[in-house]
Amino acid sequence: MKNKKINRRIFFQRLGVGVGSTYLLQNCMSNMNHGTSDPVPVASDATFKNILKIPETLSNPTTFIAQSVQDTIMDGKTVKYLGYRNGLLGPTIRMQKGSTFNAKLTNQLAEHTNIHWHGLVIPADMDGHPDQMVMANESFNYRFTLNQQAGTNWYHPHVHGTTAKQVTQGLSGLFIVETPEEKALNLPSGTFEIPLVIQDKRFNTDGTIKYSPTMMEVMSGYLGDNILVNGTASPYLNVSTRFYRFRILNGSTARIYNLALSNGAEFYIIGSDGGILEKPETVKETLLGSGERLDILIDFSNIAINTEVFLESKTFSGMGTAQGTQAFKILKFIVNKQESNTFKLPASLIPLPNLSGSNKKRSFSLTMTMNMSGGMHRINNKVFSSQRIDETVNLGSTETWEFDNSTGDEPHPMHIHGVQFQVLSRIGGRNTLFPHEKGWKDTVLVAPKEKVQVIMKFEQKGKFVFHCHNLEHEDDGMMLNFEVK
Ligand code: C2O
Ligand code: CU
Ligand code: CU
């Protein structure tokens, strides 16, 4: 492999050391090439003894205070992190289509921050573009009206260069949009509708959340060795013998999960990032990249009382060398209450409009280079610059964008602001569209060797970004601007 050798040499040069001059670096490189760097420890079933926290749900939040907080989230250990209110992760916002969100973000951190409303189709000046910073001790009022289909969206800071750090340290939350159409489906709700924000983190011995990727981890992704759900380590949830709805967010910076149930049972995908599917899709496992969401139903009705079932991540291949090498458990369900199940899986859900009449096609090459100047991860060989408009799009137009990872060997979950798109095709690599890609999406996993095409209509004016949602890659500059006018 000639290329690999060249890359390796340039890599060492960039670090300012001779080839093979330190054992540590060699070890690092060999981990990268052979995929043994995944640090999740194999936990025993008995360790899942922390009750799953459910972030508070608010239908009309008015204040978000980005601040340092501390709390016991890890087996009685005090953890220091960043929060918007109380608790790791902000509140789950649940609002109706047509209503207006109006809340003030106050920045009590020592650094600048902002909030991006990931998945919401809202005006550019409210989107939390990396240009729109809220400086320390300042505040900003976010105000926008929701005008999109029902879906599971989320929010997080978007500070170029420190997005990954701020998200890892606790700043993010879910933003659910509801519509009467969705309500009419009578899906499991209330205590039977549970948000699951899955994140991997590393901790320092002093209880702070560690975020310090090496150059190698900027490439492979910074993989944490603790898997948290809703900020709870080793969580369990008591469930009854009936259908539940889980709204799942992969809120990790880089980790991809291959979600499955430990009893091998099927589950039903009813929604994707920004919308409900046309019909439930039955699966036994599904990959979820960083930033992607999944709306699923699990049927516990035929499970005997006192049975434990785990939500787990199975191994997978084809997503680069560092990811998918280990299987691990995420959340323990304890079936502990008999209930008669009256819910029937609907045959159809919400029709998906056909986005036809695309009048322009753009293609974006996704590459990794060891070039000394600027970031390593690039789109069309460019590194993010806030001053440069990379693409200009006509307001109201429908376009097809292709993400071309055909020469790459890292996965890139590509995300576009200001729109919800539909995935048209995947050529090369896995060569197929997956069940959770049959609805509204704003983030799509582009594996090595793949070209993925998406179609969307641009209905918001102004300057937005699109980028890789591997947050190490994003902070490294794998992000471009587009302007709709
Ligand atoms: Cu979730 Cu531009 O990000
Ligand atoms: Cu976004
Ligand atoms: Cu990437």
Side-chain angles (χ1 to χ4, degrees):
M1 290 286 286
K2 207 175 176 186
N3 278 341
K4 217 163 226 165
K5 272 197 186 122
I6 291 167
N7 280 347
R8 185 183 290 237
R9 198 186 70 233
I10 299 170
F11 176 79
F12 282 109
Q13 281 171 353
R14 185 170 174 181
L15 288 173
V17 294
V19 176
S21 72
T22 71
Y23 168 76
L24 196 69
L25 279 173
Q26 271 190 331
N27 196 27
C28 247
M29 288 305 285
S30 105
N31 280 348
M32 183 174 84
N33 290 336
H34 301 111
T36 51
S37 59
D38 194 335
V40 177
V42 180
S44 80
D45 296 5
T47 61
F48 286 78
K49 55 181 179 358
N50 301 315
I51 187 156
L52 178 75
K53 286 185 191 155
I54 310 288
E56 62 179 329
T57 301
L58 299 175
S59 58
N60 192 15
T62 54
T63 42
F64 287 76
I65 302 172
Q67 58 195 310
S68 318
V69 271
Q70 58 178 53
D71 191 4
T72 48
I73 57 173
M74 303 273 303
D75 302 324
K77 263 184 269 160
T78 299
V79 174
K80 297 173 197 145
Y81 54 89
L82 306 181
Y84 286 119
R85 300 166 70 86
N86 37 26
L88 190 85
L89 295 182
T92 298
I93 303 163
R94 184 183 282 272
M95 293 185 75
Q96 308 301 311
K97 178 179 180 179
S99 62
T100 297
F101 176 87
N102 187 359
K104 186 161 101 175
L105 167 67
T106 298
N107 182 4
Q108 290 184 357
L109 306 175
E111 58 193 305
H112 47 284
T113 189
N114 70 351
I115 301 183
H116 164 56
W117 312 93
H118 180 137
L120 298 187
V121 183
I122 54 175
D125 59 350
M126 291 292 142
D127 185 61
H129 185 281
D131 280 356
Q132 302 155 0
M133 280 304 131
V134 183
M135 300 303 171
N137 300 312
E138 290 187 354
S139 57
F140 182 81
N141 212 79
Y142 289 97
R143 188 173 196 279
F144 47 82
T145 298
L146 298 165
N147 184 30
Q148 65 192 88
Q149 63 286 344
T152 306
N153 303 290
W154 65 301
Y155 59 95
H156 61 78
H158 219 299
V159 186
H160 187 51
T162 50
T163 296
K165 192 193 82 186
Q166 292 192 4
V167 172
T168 302
Q169 296 200 323
L171 297 175
S172 63
L174 289 176
F175 197 127
I176 293 169
V177 178
E178 296 182 322
T179 63
E181 226 184 343
E182 182 212 13
K183 271 266 153 62
L185 295 171
N186 280 314
L187 297 166
S189 63
T191 49
F192 308 114
E193 179 192 345
I194 314 264
L196 303 177
V197 179
I198 307 175
Q199 297 178 303
D200 57 338
K201 296 187 193 297
R202 299 187 201 175
F203 293 92
N204 292 310
T205 43
D206 69 352
T208 48
I209 295 172
K210 184 174 178 181
Y211 187 75
S212 57
T214 60
M215 184 183 278
M216 234 271 310
E217 285 162 339
V218 170
M219 294 189 268
S220 62
Y222 188 72
L223 303 176
D225 50 8
N226 286 275
I227 308 294
L228 276 68
V229 184
N230 299 345
T232 319
S234 305
Y236 77 89
L237 177 71
N238 289 327
V239 295
S240 317
T241 54
R242 53 161 291 149
F243 266 96
Y244 280 71
R245 178 181 189 179
F246 295 97
R247 298 186 186 251
I248 304 176
L249 160 67
N250 179 351
S252 312
T253 67
R255 187 181 282 285
I256 298 164
Y257 300 88
N258 186 17
L259 298 175
L261 293 167
S262 58
N263 59 357
E266 294 175 329
F267 54 98
Y268 311 95
I269 302 178
I270 56 166
S272 49
D273 300 343
I276 304 294
L277 303 187
E278 290 195 294
K279 59 177 183 55
E281 297 281 338
T282 305
V283 298
K284 282 191 168 178
E285 59 189 84
T286 189
L287 282 178
L288 198 65
S290 334
E292 285 189 292
R293 286 88 70 205
L294 203 60
D295 201 340
I296 63 169
L297 298 176
I298 299 180
D299 181 8
F300 296 104
S301 64
N302 292 317
I303 297 180
I305 292 290
N306 291 326
T307 306
E308 296 179 352
V309 180
F310 285 86
L311 176 67
E312 59 184 22
S313 181
K314 295 171 68 164
T315 57
F316 53 89
S317 59
M319 290 290 160
T321 49
Q323 297 233 24
T325 60
Q326 289 191 42
F328 50 86
K329 291 171 171 146
I330 297 172
L331 166 66
K332 174 155 81 178
F333 299 112
I334 305 172
V335 184
N336 75 340
K337 194 164 162 252
Q338 194 70 48
E339 223 184 275
S340 61
N341 184 56
T342 51
F343 178 80
K344 292 254 173 328
L345 193 67
S348 65
L349 297 163
I350 297 181
L352 194 69
N354 195 356
L355 285 183
S356 56
S358 161
N359 43 36
K360 192 171 167 79
K361 189 178 165 182
R362 300 177 201 248
S363 185
F364 300 100
S365 65
L366 312 177
T367 53
M368 215 262 299
T369 160
M370 291 298 182
N371 197 311
M372 295 288 288
S373 56
M376 297 182 284
H377 297 88
R378 299 178 173 206
I379 302 174
N380 281 352
N381 203 28
K382 292 190 278 188
V383 173
F384 181 67
S385 162
S386 106
Q387 271 85 50
R388 194 185 59 223
I389 300 292
D390 300 284
E391 304 291 326
T392 306
V393 175
N394 291 329
L395 182 66
S397 62
T398 300
E399 298 198 358
T400 303
W401 288 16
E402 178 177 80
F403 297 114
D404 181 350
N405 195 17
S406 52
T407 63
D409 45 27
E410 296 173 331
H412 301 293
M414 297 305 297
H415 169 52
I416 309 175
H417 286 214
V419 294
Q420 284 288 330
F421 55 69
Q422 292 174 16
V423 189
L424 288 176
S425 64
R426 174 179 280 107
I427 300 159
R430 295 171 292 160
N431 244 310
T432 185
L433 294 186
F434 293 88
H436 70 289
E437 295 176 330
K438 295 182 179 174
W440 290 110
K441 295 279 291 167
D442 54 53
T443 307
V444 66
L445 193 53
V446 186
K449 312 302 167 229
E450 294 178 358
K451 287 186 187 182
V452 175
Q453 290 192 332
V454 302
I455 185 170
M456 70 223 121
K457 187 169 185 192
F458 294 88
E459 290 173 311
Q460 296 287 341
K461 245 196 209 159
K463 183 179 168 189
F464 293 96
V465 287
F466 67 104
H467 58 88
C468 177
H469 220 287
N470 171 314
L471 298 182
E472 281 77 46
H473 295 179
E474 176 187 338
D475 281 337
D476 188 42
M478 196 171 194
M479 172 160 71
L480 297 183
N481 277 309
F482 68 96
E483 186 175 357
V484 182
K485 57 183 189 186

